[in-house]
Structure formats: C-alpha cells, structure tokens
C-alpha cells in the first residue's frame, strides 16, 4: 500500500548547461497542503512539470499516487499551470464541463457537476455568459473549478496567487483549505513565503535546483530558534547596533529581531523604550520568510 501522494527519489533535470533540479528527494503524505517554495528560477515549476509528465527527469524516480508513471494516475490529478488562460469565447458552464469530459466524465455528468461547482463558488449567474465577461478574480475561480471538475485526489497549483489582488488571494486561500477539508492533497508553488506560512502543513524550500529544507512547517520553525517581532513607529535604524542583536529584518514599521543565545530580550526592550514608539513586542518563532533568507543567504546577510 502506498503511503504517499507524491515521491521524488534522487531526481535530476538539466537543460543544456543549466541544472534545473539536482538530486531532489521528497515525500508528500496524502491529505495535506504542501508548499514548493523558493525564488524565481529555483526549480519549482520544473519539478511540477516533471510530475505532470510535461518534462521527463534525466535520472531518478517520481511516483504519483502510487503509480510508476503520471500517465497511469492522470485522471486522479488536477493541475493548474502558471500560464493560465480560458477560451474567451466559450460560455463558462460549457468550458468547465468540457474539461470534465477531457478527464473521462460523461457529458451529462460533466454538465451537472460544472453547474454545481459554479453555483457553489458564487458564479451561478455566469454559467451562460462568455468567459471574456469575467473579471480576473472570477477567471481564476473558473480555472480552479476546471482543475476540480473530475474530483481529483491530488491537486497541483503552480503559482496560484500570482497577479491576484488581496481579496482574491483570500478567495484562493479559502479554496485551497476547503480542498484539504475534502480529503484532497494540495501541492502549490509560490515565491511568497507569507502565503505558504498561512496554510501549509509541510514545505519544500528549494534554491538553484537544490533542496534547502523540507518537512512539517511547525518542526522547521521550532528548529530555527526564537526571534522578536516588533511593531513600531520612529527611526529604527539603531536597532541593529544594539548589544546582542545578530540580525534584523526591518520593513520600516515592523521588524524581526534575532539575538545571540546569551542575549536578554528584556534588556533589548529597555533599550527600545523611549527611542521608538512600541506597538507590539512578541517573542516568537521566526517567520518563514526569515527562515528562507537565513538558510539560503546565510545568517549575516540582510
């Protein structure tokens, strides 16, 4: 019995002289939200395209839902590529049903399921309208429904938050969480750490084609020690010069501060009082953004 929705074993992929993925191994348990994280060019999309059989690995093995090949499991997969688009002249209901038929659904079943999904996600009024009438956020919803029409066990989303405004980022996040509640495994790639931190159970951090970290998010954060989250007003440029401070990730009004092991957080607070206006001073685990920057670039970089 296969215990994993997706497995990579020592997978390599090159394009000419460029190594896109190097010796990548990972295991994704079923029923979780798993993030492929990293900067542009890290190897996230290449990894996903190998899962989808768009690219073939040069060496190593990929297993999807227990199958030796993606083709064997293709009707159990849902895939939203980074380059998204709709057939603009097709009517919305027809489009969603069409993709259901492509996944082997009978015509009447696909039509019924398409209408149910569109109603459920607030697009019932657009069933008979052309796709070109949809806003960007509505189009993104329809693209997700195209991915879900055939009830896939494993859903793979490549940069699903790209280009969305804050309202539609929230809609997309809620859809991903709902898919997990329904028992699906969701894998998505993103370069924005804050999005992944909100919803991921486990993550892969990848940079320059190589795995940097992977595993349950809570374990990764626990292993990284503690930091201080400071919300403030005023000139905080002096903070990095204070005794015991080894790193500051300062956005101007909010800063993550990391101290030497023997430094005193209360002493830091005393140094801050009267020099900046403090709205929050929390001792907490480092953010995923901080973990990635620290791990990839090294402790001393900003």
């Amino acid at each position: 019995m296969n215990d994993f929705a997706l497995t990579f074993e020592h997978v390599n992929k090159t394009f000419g002289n460029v190594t896109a993925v190097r010796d990548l191994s990972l295991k994704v348990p079923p029923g979780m939200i798993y993030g492929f994280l990293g900067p542009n060019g890290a190897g996230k999309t290449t990894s996903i395209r190998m899962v989808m059989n768009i690219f073939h690995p040069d060496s190593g093995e990929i297993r999807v839902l227990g199958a030796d090949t993606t083709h064997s499991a293709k009707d159990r997969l849902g895939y939203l590529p980074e380059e998204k688009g709709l057939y603009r002249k097709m009517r919305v209901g027809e489009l969603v049903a069409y993709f259901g038929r492509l996944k082997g659904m009978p015509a009447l079943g696909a039509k019924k399921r398409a209408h149910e999904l569109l109603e459920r996600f607030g697009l019932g009024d657009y069933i008979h309208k052309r796709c070109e009438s949809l806003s960007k956020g509505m189009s993104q919803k329809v693209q997700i429904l195209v991915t879900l029409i055939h009830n896939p066990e494993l859903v793979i989303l490549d940069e699903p938050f790209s280009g969305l405004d804050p309202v539609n980022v929230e809609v997309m996040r809620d859809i991903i969480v709902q898919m997990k509640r329904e028992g699906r495994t969701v894998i998505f790639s993103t370069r924005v750490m804050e999005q992944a931190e909100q919803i991921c159970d486990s993550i892969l951090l990848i940079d320059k084609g190589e795995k940097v970290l992977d595993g349950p998010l809570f374990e990764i954060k626990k292993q990284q020690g503690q930091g201080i989250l400071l919300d403030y007003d005023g000139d905080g440029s002096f903070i990095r010069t204070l005794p015991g401070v080894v790193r500051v990730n300062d956005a101007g009004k909010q800063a993550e501060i990391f101290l030497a092991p023997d430094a005193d957080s209360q002493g830091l607070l005393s140094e801050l009082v009267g020099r900046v206006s403090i709205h929050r001073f929390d001792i907490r685990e480092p953010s995923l953004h901080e973990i990635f920057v620290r791990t990839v670039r090294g402790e001393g970089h900003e």
Side-chain angles (χ1 to χ4, degrees), residues 241-281:
T241 68
L242 294 176
V245 173
V246 296
R247 173 171 162 76
V248 179
N249 178 15
D250 190 1
K253 295 178 73 67
Q254 184 178 88
E256 281 188 284
I257 305 169
F258 298 90
L259 303 178
D262 57 349
D264 177 19
S265 61
Q266 294 304 308
L268 172 66
L269 179 58
S270 298
E271 293 278 0
L272 295 171
V273 171
R275 301 180 70 177
V276 292
S277 178
I278 299 170
H279 304 296
R280 177 167 58 165
F281 185 90

Side-chain angles (χ1 to χ4, degrees), residues 159-171:
E159 296 287 356
F161 299 100
S162 179
L164 295 182
D165 60 38
V167 171
N168 285 302
V169 164
E170 188 170 315
V171 170

